[in-house]
Amino acid sequence: RRRHTRLRTVTGVQTCALPILQTKAQDPFLAAKPCWVSDRQVEKNLTVALHAVVPANHPKRAVFNITAVSSYKCYLNGLFIGYGPSFSAHGFHRFDAYDLTSKLKNGTNILTVEVAGYNVDNYHIPNQPSFVQAELRIDGKVVAATMTGNKKEAFAFYLPQQRQQDVPKLSFQRPQMEAYVLGKDPHMWRNSTHPRSEEHTSELQSPYVISYA
């Protein structure tokens, strides 16, 4: 069954919704491991950002697979391409597969992901420890992945400061509200090959065994 992303317009950011490809319920990742910032898997309302510099030269096939807890938004060269993940039961996960073949430009591309780990009871998203697992393959080769053994392929992880962590819930229906303190050009990191180094973190851990629904 095909599921399509819902187009959301983000102020000041160009957007393009991509269809999520039909996939089977099996591990879709060749190199990526599920991971999160060390010792912060159950921390409430923590936002983590992933960043990868990806070269391309007339790709014939480029697929980006991703799953996460609690929710993610992904961008290619500053363009919004989708959000998720597809919902599943507590303790089970579905991955999303995006066809980026026509969206990659020849030369350098910037693939970024923002992941929010809520870790709070609500009626919207299961309350379970945060993680993200993501992998981009171009013509069958892994070029970006979470916590891969090859540093050249690894996503860099950041702890962005603009989204405020200590904010209230407005009701039990949803997780925490979103509040931001924006600096100059807050979306620049989505297009930059060198994001702000002070927000970089290399303290990751992967204690997860993922069951795909």
Side-chain angles (χ1 to χ4, degrees), residues 22-66:
Q22 186 176 3
T23 53
K24 296 181 180 180
Q26 60 188 20
D27 190 341
F29 302 97
L30 298 179
K33 295 181 176 63
C35 60
W36 197 248
V37 181
S38 294
D39 301 321
R40 303 182 75 173
Q41 292 90 350
V42 295
E43 185 173 329
K44 292 183 179 180
N45 201 32
L46 180 65
T47 301
V48 172
L50 284 65
H51 183 281
V53 180
V54 179
N57 183 18
H58 300 287
K60 296 180 180 178
R61 179 72 164 169
V63 176
F64 179 51
N65 292 336
I66 182 171

Side-chain angles (χ1 to χ4, degrees), residues 89-197:
H90 191 282
F92 291 86
H93 308 281
R94 291 190 175 104
F95 63 93
D96 300 325
Y98 296 91
D99 185 354
L100 302 184
T101 309
S102 63
K103 300 299 178 183
L104 288 171
K105 63 182 182 181
N106 292 327
T108 300
N109 296 267
I110 308 298
L111 179 61
T112 57
V113 183
E114 296 177 31
V115 187
Y118 297 121
N119 284 295
V120 66
D121 291 330
N122 64 94
Y123 291 136
H124 179 52
I125 296 174
N127 183 1
Q128 47 195 347
S130 304
F131 79 90
V132 60
Q133 187 175 14
E135 181 177 283
L136 173 62
R137 295 199 298 268
I138 298 180
D139 296 332
K141 179 183 178 182
V142 176
V143 296
T146 51
M147 209 169 180
T148 176
N150 187 336
K151 291 185 178 180
K152 293 182 178 180
E153 300 171 356
F155 274 99
F157 276 68
Y158 296 83
L159 296 174
Q161 302 302 310
Q162 62 186 22
R163 183 168 184 265
Q164 301 303 288
Q165 185 175 5
D166 187 13
V167 294
K169 291 180 62 179
L170 299 182
S171 72
F172 195 86
Q173 184 74 21
R174 302 285 183 177
Q176 294 88 342
M177 62 177 289
E178 291 190 27
Y180 296 83
V181 176
L182 301 179
K184 182 180 179 181
D185 197 1
H187 306 302
M188 180 181 66
W189 73 281
R190 296 176 186 155
N191 295 287
S192 173
T193 56
H194 301 287
R196 294 187 294 271
S197 59

Side-chain angles (χ1 to χ4, degrees), residues 64-79:
F64 179 51
N65 292 336
I66 182 171
T67 187
V69 169
S70 300
S71 63
Y72 73 82
K73 296 182 291 186
C74 50
Y75 303 82
L76 180 65
N77 298 321
L79 295 177

